[in-house]
Amino acid sequence: MSHPPFEGFEGSYLGNRNVLQPGSRLECKICWWVYDPAQGDPQWQIAPGTPFADLPPHWRCPNCDCEPDQFLLLPDEAT
């Protein structure tokens, strides 16, 4: 599957949720908290299995209140 050309600094997704895969993990650039869809987000009552792209518009980092478009895309984990 090909991905659209990527612009921006390394790790950024610039709020373009189309570049995210369902299992994409993202890290807050302020406090380094990691959103892992396998874990969800208990503080915001986000169920495990919820992709980052499907988070509600009001969602923010549960640790520092950073906006989601400021998160950095982490490399895929080796399986």
Side-chain angles (χ1 to χ4, degrees):
M1 177 177 188
S2 73
H3 296 283
F6 186 73
E7 296 179 11
F9 59 91
E10 184 177 354
S12 69
Y13 80 106
L14 303 174
N16 180 3
R17 293 179 175 208
N18 293 325
V19 301
L20 302 177
Q21 300 297 310
S24 292
R25 296 168 39 251
L26 289 96
E27 181 177 64
C28 178
K29 76 175 190 178
I30 304 298
C31 71
W32 304 301
W33 183 83
V34 173
Y35 180 80
D36 183 344
Q39 302 291 320
D41 179 0
Q43 182 168 330
W44 281 89
Q45 300 178 352
I46 304 297
T50 304
F52 192 88
D54 292 344
L55 293 173
H58 63 275
W59 184 87
R60 300 289 183 266
C61 176
N63 195 47
C64 73
D65 203 40
C66 180
E67 295 187 15
D69 64 352
Q70 299 299 306
F71 274 61
L72 305 173
L73 184 59
L74 294 174
D76 291 338
E77 290 184 326
T79 56

